Amino acid sequence: MQLRRLVILFALIGVVSGFEFEDQKNFFYSDPNTISYTPPATSTPSPANWGRHASTPSSPGGSGYYHSPPRSTLSPPSTPSVAVPSPPSDPTSPPYTCTYWKKHPSAIWGWWGSVGNAFGVSNIPGMGAKMNLLQALSNTRTDGYGEICRQGTAALLNSMIDAKFPYTSAQVRDAFTAALASSDAAAAQARLFKLANEAKTYPKL
């Protein structure tokens, strides 16, 4: 009986020792003086973001730096000016102006006689009657007599080469002679000759 009790006692002692050993394995001692350190988390930028600014606002109203686009300073091209040619001073068909006859003396070859002979007059007040037709066309007098010599001579030449001219050669001579009565009459007839020479108005005779 005593032996049985001893066996049970030793068995209990073994069980208790086993429990103590397991408790020692599961026990962890932490030193309160030990300082723990956890490094901060860092992120590595992806290659697509290398070289970019941290933040660029899309409008000037946001925070941060805003780079406004440069303004264009180009001025609009100017419209090139087109030079309008002046009309030719010489007509291409009769009647011809006094200026045309004056610039083409070879066109009146054969009619170089004096104004007196051409119009059948012996004198033109203040001018005589001995000047030739080119001199009559080129005279610089500003009164009625000077003007009728220019326009009357051109009218006589036009009547000789242009069948459609409103005056015949005889009508030019008669009107020329009648206008020599005064400077005003000569100026008035010279205006009518000029209109005919420029093919602007055909006077009624």
Side-chain angles (χ1 to χ4, degrees), residues 4 22 32 36 39 143 165 178 202:
R4 185 178 179 181
E22 291 296 328
S36 62
D143 60 356
F165 194 69
Y202 292 155

Side-chain angles (χ1 to χ4, degrees), residues 3-150:
L3 178 60
R4 185 178 179 181
R5 291 178 179 176
L6 290 175
V7 172
I8 294 172
L9 178 62
F10 281 117
L12 293 173
I13 293 172
V15 171
V16 171
S17 299
F19 286 152
E20 290 179 355
F21 178 75
E22 291 296 328
D23 291 340
Q24 287 179 358
K25 288 196 303 181
N26 295 330
F27 177 76
F28 176 77
Y29 175 77
S30 176
D31 189 356
N33 296 324
T34 302
I35 300 175
S36 62
Y37 172 75
T38 301
T42 59
S43 61
T44 303
S46 61
N49 295 327
W50 290 353
R52 293 185 178 179
H53 294 290
S55 175
T56 302
S58 59
S59 63
S63 61
Y65 174 74
Y66 175 75
H67 178 70
S68 61
R71 295 182 179 180
S72 176
T73 57
L74 296 177
S75 58
S78 58
T79 305
S81 59
V82 178
V84 179
S86 58
S89 58
D90 296 342
T92 57
S93 62
Y96 299 120
T97 64
C98 173
T99 302
Y100 175 89
W101 288 110
K102 181 174 62 177
K103 290 182 177 180
H104 297 81
S106 60
I108 58 175
W109 180 259
W111 300 323
W112 280 75
S114 67
V115 173
N117 292 334
F119 287 98
V121 296
S122 59
N123 183 52
I124 298 174
M127 300 183 68
K130 294 183 179 180
M131 58 184 171
N132 59 41
L133 299 184
L134 182 59
Q135 290 171 334
L137 291 166
S138 304
N139 87 87
T140 57
R141 288 187 59 163
T142 58
D143 60 356
Y145 296 118
E147 184 66 10
I148 199 172
C149 283
R150 290 187 291 270

